[in-house]
Amino acid sequence: MVKVLRRGRLKNIWRQLLRQESPCQALCSWRRLDWAAILLASALVALISSWPWLVEPSLRPGIPAPISVSAPKDATVINSEALEQRRSQLGTRTHVQVVDLEANRVLQERLERQLLELDQVSRSSQTRVGPLNLSSLEQTWLVGRDPKDLNSWKLALRKSQQRMLSQGIVGNLAKRQLEQAARLQLLPMEEPGLSLGGRLLATNLQGRTNLRTDTLMSQQLIEELLSQQGIPRIVVKKGDLIARRGEPISPQAYDVLDYFGMVNRRPLLWAWMGYSIEALAGCIVMVLIMRRWRCSLEPRHALLALAMLAVVQGFKLWLGNAASPLALLVPPTLLLAQALGTPAGLAWLAVASLIWPQPLDDFSEIRLLVAALVALAGALLAGRQRSRAQLVQLATLLPVGALVLQWLVLQSVALWHGRTQVLPSGTELAAEALLMGGLLMGVLLLGPLVESFFGLLTRARLLEMADLERPLLRRLSTEAPGTFEHTLMICGLAEEGARAIGADVDLIRTGSLYHDVGKLHAPQWFIENQSEGPNPHDQLDDPFGSAKVLQAHVDEGLKLARKYRLPRPLEDFIPEHQGTLRMGYFFHQARERDPSTPESAFRYRGPTPQSRETAILMLADGCEAALRSLPPGTSEQDAAAMVRRLIDARRLDGQLRDSGISRGELELVIRAFVKVWRRMRHRRIPYPIPAHKAYSA
């Protein structure tokens, strides 16, 4: 019996903990397709994070050694780094060139065109062949030759050029050298045919080459030269220390480790599975934390966070040890903290730091810790910034603070361990801070585009949307002035109520301004916009038609919200401020005419408020007219009782069930509404108005 009671108590305690940790308001509904996309993106992040354990060797130059290793025996190992350096030095000046037959064909065709031009010279008084000027002696010689001798001379030119091309022609050879070589090929030809032929061949070949580099033969020559010079080697004695734990592995140490078979190139499946599961679980937990703290989180917001995580992981793999923790961690954390709240930014930072590549040396761990601290400070401060100017100031101060903090911490650790020689230089730290500052500025510049594309609602955008000169609010003030004044009154009530319970004051202020924009479709059908004259509802004399008009102000408001691209959190204020309330006046009219009229035909389609902010707006909307109608002598107790009755009616009607607002918070909201009502009804000093004096013309 005692065991059963203990189990029952433990179950009750567990249920209470779950109730406290579960979201107090309704979560944004996600479809199965949304969950599938989230899981697919998380799997992609896990694959990128664990990729080195699939394709890369267990060790590589530059990473810290996981353990200290000594040589098990004497050995002579090829120094691959020195060998590669020698090979690259030889490669820049060792090229094997061969004759290009295609270039030979082009040069032969060029020679044939010039020989055709010579035929025209022999038939006319022309003295120029291409770029070659003919002397009078040469022209006379050409005209006086019979066709048979001229053809023999041309054949000699063709054979001479072929012999020159077979030896190879370079493009930077001087024209005089070419002409001398051509004359040697044409001997024992007599003048002036010898000089004319030499000049013609030199002009045809100058500035052109028929050689191309043969990569395979060049590589073979390099290998032959390396064999002649000797391959660089590393001599290791038994017991020599190859690598010390925590210190970067040098290329020479890597060659020795590889020689002794200590570098595993096979896929590390168990390690890969472990890191994959770790990264996948981290991504899922991050999404759940974001959803816990931001119930209105949409799937595309979670996909944005996962996409940024995938990009950061990709840069880590690409840059390797050169990756800067400051540049990779701080800008995304600042963006997410500003757009989705500080908890979302901190959750992303925790996961990104957790799956940072391992192993790390002492100073890399310190730099990662400093980057995490700077990102933590940025996330905490970003949630408090209320304008883009303040964000620019934050983006300017964070790099400076990061530079100073990183330098101080590294100096302290280096002095403590006595290893100042491996410290990054001040120039490197400054360059890293400058890079982080540039990325932060880029995030701020691209912020509005990201907000618009992903439907994010930052604090700065909220304040921009609350500008009364926005086009939709200007339309509301000019086309429905009564509704606009009613909106401003509700703003005061809702803002004070939100402040009383610690809700989002900026969100509820901006949402209140847009909650009734749907009345723009027919402003004269609402009492606050009606002047003297008949009421359209009386002329309609149809309760069902009037109910459709009231519902239409919600439907048309949603259309306007999409037309003017209002963010989703502001759009939610339009239907949720009415919830599924009953249209009491017209329902009563319909029941008088037909007692069997269903109540469902006179209720708004909802949904009911899904957050504390929309719930407060519903309560303010219901209490505003009642508070204004109270007579001058009403006490605060009577006003509070009246507000409490209105709020209890909505609570008992089930309108606040999904909002997450508690009974204690409702009491604070009542006091806040009465406080605003008291400010509205304060006494004024009567000012004497003197009588107007009449003056004669």
Side-chain angles (χ1 to χ4, degrees), residues 598-611:
E599 182 179 323
S600 59
F602 289 88
R603 280 190 177 271
Y604 288 97
R605 289 196 287 266
T608 57
Q610 304 294 301
S611 65

PDB file of all heavy atoms in Angstrom, residues 598-611:
ATOM      1  N   PRO A 598     -30.222  28.847 -34.750  1.00  0.00           N
ATOM      2  CA  PRO A 598     -29.013  28.265 -34.120  1.00  0.00           C
ATOM      3  C   PRO A 598     -28.023  29.351 -33.721  1.00  0.00           C
ATOM      4  O   PRO A 598     -27.823  30.331 -34.440  1.00  0.00           O
ATOM      5  CB  PRO A 598     -28.443  27.366 -35.211  1.00  0.00           C
ATOM      6  CG  PRO A 598     -28.935  27.952 -36.490  1.00  0.00           C
ATOM      7  CD  PRO A 598     -30.298  28.535 -36.193  1.00  0.00           C
ATOM      8  N   GLU A 599     -27.430  29.155 -32.580  1.00  0.00           N
ATOM      9  CA  GLU A 599     -26.459  30.139 -32.086  1.00  0.00           C
ATOM     10  C   GLU A 599     -25.202  30.166 -32.942  1.00  0.00           C
ATOM     11  O   GLU A 599     -24.548  31.208 -33.073  1.00  0.00           O
ATOM     12  CB  GLU A 599     -26.100  29.806 -30.634  1.00  0.00           C
ATOM     13  CG  GLU A 599     -25.129  30.798 -30.003  1.00  0.00           C
ATOM     14  CD  GLU A 599     -24.814  30.463 -28.560  1.00  0.00           C
ATOM     15  OE1 GLU A 599     -25.729  30.001 -27.844  1.00  0.00           O
ATOM     16  OE2 GLU A 599     -23.655  30.660 -28.164  1.00  0.00           O
ATOM     17  N   SER A 600     -24.851  29.026 -33.549  1.00  0.00           N
ATOM     18  CA  SER A 600     -23.613  28.947 -34.333  1.00  0.00           C
ATOM     19  C   SER A 600     -23.610  29.903 -35.519  1.00  0.00           C
ATOM     20  O   SER A 600     -22.544  30.322 -35.980  1.00  0.00           O
ATOM     21  CB  SER A 600     -23.404  27.512 -34.834  1.00  0.00           C
ATOM     22  OG  SER A 600     -24.502  27.099 -35.634  1.00  0.00           O
ATOM     23  N   ALA A 601     -24.792  30.268 -36.029  1.00  0.00           N
ATOM     24  CA  ALA A 601     -24.863  31.186 -37.161  1.00  0.00           C
ATOM     25  C   ALA A 601     -24.487  32.605 -36.764  1.00  0.00           C
ATOM     26  O   ALA A 601     -24.255  33.448 -37.640  1.00  0.00           O
ATOM     27  CB  ALA A 601     -26.262  31.160 -37.779  1.00  0.00           C
ATOM     28  N   PHE A 602     -24.446  32.883 -35.462  1.00  0.00           N
ATOM     29  CA  PHE A 602     -24.153  34.237 -34.979  1.00  0.00           C
ATOM     30  C   PHE A 602     -22.893  34.249 -34.122  1.00  0.00           C
ATOM     31  O   PHE A 602     -22.773  35.042 -33.196  1.00  0.00           O
ATOM     32  CB  PHE A 602     -25.350  34.777 -34.186  1.00  0.00           C
ATOM     33  CG  PHE A 602     -26.522  35.100 -35.065  1.00  0.00           C
ATOM     34  CD1 PHE A 602     -27.460  34.127 -35.371  1.00  0.00           C
ATOM     35  CD2 PHE A 602     -26.675  36.365 -35.609  1.00  0.00           C
ATOM     36  CE1 PHE A 602     -28.539  34.417 -36.182  1.00  0.00           C
ATOM     37  CE2 PHE A 602     -27.749  36.662 -36.421  1.00  0.00           C
ATOM     38  CZ  PHE A 602     -28.685  35.682 -36.725  1.00  0.00           C
ATOM     39  N   ARG A 603     -21.965  33.378 -34.421  1.00  0.00           N
ATOM     40  CA  ARG A 603     -20.657  33.387 -33.767  1.00  0.00           C
ATOM     41  C   ARG A 603     -19.570  33.605 -34.820  1.00  0.00           C
ATOM     42  O   ARG A 603     -19.679  33.114 -35.942  1.00  0.00           O
ATOM     43  CB  ARG A 603     -20.391  32.070 -33.026  1.00  0.00           C
ATOM     44  CG  ARG A 603     -21.074  31.988 -31.666  1.00  0.00           C
ATOM     45  CD  ARG A 603     -20.587  30.796 -30.867  1.00  0.00           C
ATOM     46  NE  ARG A 603     -21.174  30.751 -29.540  1.00  0.00           N
ATOM     47  CZ  ARG A 603     -20.658  31.349 -28.464  1.00  0.00           C
ATOM     48  NH1 ARG A 603     -19.515  32.026 -28.579  1.00  0.00           N
ATOM     49  NH2 ARG A 603     -21.257  31.267 -27.297  1.00  0.00           N
ATOM     50  N   TYR A 604     -18.546  34.355 -34.430  1.00  0.00           N
ATOM     51  CA  TYR A 604     -17.400  34.520 -35.323  1.00  0.00           C
ATOM     52  C   TYR A 604     -16.729  33.159 -35.534  1.00  0.00           C
ATOM     53  O   TYR A 604     -16.784  32.272 -34.675  1.00  0.00           O
ATOM     54  CB  TYR A 604     -16.394  35.508 -34.731  1.00  0.00           C
ATOM     55  CG  TYR A 604     -16.857  36.941 -34.770  1.00  0.00           C
ATOM     56  CD1 TYR A 604     -17.445  37.538 -33.652  1.00  0.00           C
ATOM     57  CD2 TYR A 604     -16.700  37.709 -35.917  1.00  0.00           C
ATOM     58  CE1 TYR A 604     -17.862  38.862 -33.685  1.00  0.00           C
ATOM     59  CE2 TYR A 604     -17.104  39.036 -35.955  1.00  0.00           C
ATOM     60  CZ  TYR A 604     -17.700  39.600 -34.840  1.00  0.00           C
ATOM     61  OH  TYR A 604     -18.119  40.903 -34.874  1.00  0.00           O
ATOM     62  N   ARG A 605     -16.047  33.025 -36.663  1.00  0.00           N
ATOM     63  CA  ARG A 605     -15.460  31.732 -37.010  1.00  0.00           C
ATOM     64  C   ARG A 605     -14.124  31.463 -36.318  1.00  0.00           C
ATOM     65  O   ARG A 605     -13.574  30.377 -36.411  1.00  0.00           O
ATOM     66  CB  ARG A 605     -15.287  31.636 -38.528  1.00  0.00           C
ATOM     67  CG  ARG A 605     -16.613  31.498 -39.271  1.00  0.00           C
ATOM     68  CD  ARG A 605     -16.395  31.027 -40.697  1.00  0.00           C
ATOM     69  NE  ARG A 605     -15.849  32.075 -41.535  1.00  0.00           N
ATOM     70  CZ  ARG A 605     -16.583  32.894 -42.287  1.00  0.00           C
ATOM     71  NH1 ARG A 605     -17.908  32.779 -42.275  1.00  0.00           N
ATOM     72  NH2 ARG A 605     -16.020  33.809 -43.035  1.00  0.00           N
ATOM     73  N   GLY A 606     -13.588  32.467 -35.622  1.00  0.00           N
ATOM     74  CA  GLY A 606     -12.387  32.224 -34.851  1.00  0.00           C
ATOM     75  C   GLY A 606     -11.116  32.272 -35.695  1.00  0.00           C
ATOM     76  O   GLY A 606     -11.119  32.801 -36.812  1.00  0.00           O
ATOM     77  N   PRO A 607     -10.037  31.726 -35.147  1.00  0.00           N
ATOM     78  CA  PRO A 607      -9.932  30.947 -33.912  1.00  0.00           C
ATOM     79  C   PRO A 607      -9.932  31.812 -32.659  1.00  0.00           C
ATOM     80  O   PRO A 607      -9.815  33.035 -32.742  1.00  0.00           O
ATOM     81  CB  PRO A 607      -8.576  30.247 -34.071  1.00  0.00           C
ATOM     82  CG  PRO A 607      -7.763  31.216 -34.873  1.00  0.00           C
ATOM     83  CD  PRO A 607      -8.729  31.846 -35.840  1.00  0.00           C
ATOM     84  N   THR A 608     -10.063  31.150 -31.520  1.00  0.00           N
ATOM     85  CA  THR A 608      -9.969  31.856 -30.251  1.00  0.00           C
ATOM     86  C   THR A 608      -8.529  32.316 -30.042  1.00  0.00           C
ATOM     87  O   THR A 608      -7.606  31.812 -30.694  1.00  0.00           O
ATOM     88  CB  THR A 608     -10.397  30.935 -29.104  1.00  0.00           C
ATOM     89  OG1 THR A 608      -9.580  29.759 -29.125  1.00  0.00           O
ATOM     90  CG2 THR A 608     -11.864  30.529 -29.254  1.00  0.00           C
ATOM     91  N   PRO A 609      -8.284  33.258 -29.139  1.00  0.00           N
ATOM     92  CA  PRO A 609      -6.919  33.751 -28.928  1.00  0.00           C
ATOM     93  C   PRO A 609      -5.942  32.622 -28.614  1.00  0.00           C
ATOM     94  O   PRO A 609      -6.204  31.772 -27.762  1.00  0.00           O
ATOM     95  CB  PRO A 609      -7.071  34.716 -27.747  1.00  0.00           C
ATOM     96  CG  PRO A 609      -8.474  35.189 -27.836  1.00  0.00           C
ATOM     97  CD  PRO A 609      -9.263  34.036 -28.340  1.00  0.00           C
ATOM     98  N   GLN A 610      -4.816  32.637 -29.332  1.00  0.00           N
ATOM     99  CA  GLN A 610      -3.787  31.612 -29.167  1.00  0.00           C
ATOM    100  C   GLN A 610      -2.569  32.133 -28.397  1.00  0.00           C
ATOM    101  O   GLN A 610      -1.595  31.389 -28.236  1.00  0.00           O
ATOM    102  CB  GLN A 610      -3.338  31.109 -30.535  1.00  0.00           C
ATOM    103  CG  GLN A 610      -4.444  30.574 -31.411  1.00  0.00           C
ATOM    104  CD  GLN A 610      -5.063  29.312 -30.840  1.00  0.00           C
ATOM    105  OE1 GLN A 610      -4.372  28.315 -30.628  1.00  0.00           O
ATOM    106  NE2 GLN A 610      -6.361  29.355 -30.578  1.00  0.00           N
ATOM    107  N   SER A 611      -2.607  33.361 -27.938  1.00  0.00           N
ATOM    108  CA  SER A 611      -1.501  33.935 -27.169  1.00  0.00           C
ATOM    109  C   SER A 611      -2.066  34.915 -26.158  1.00  0.00           C
ATOM    110  O   SER A 611      -3.222  35.357 -26.247  1.00  0.00           O
ATOM    111  CB  SER A 611      -0.502  34.646 -28.096  1.00  0.00           C
ATOM    112  OG  SER A 611      -1.104  35.767 -28.714  1.00  0.00           O
TER     113      SER A 611
END
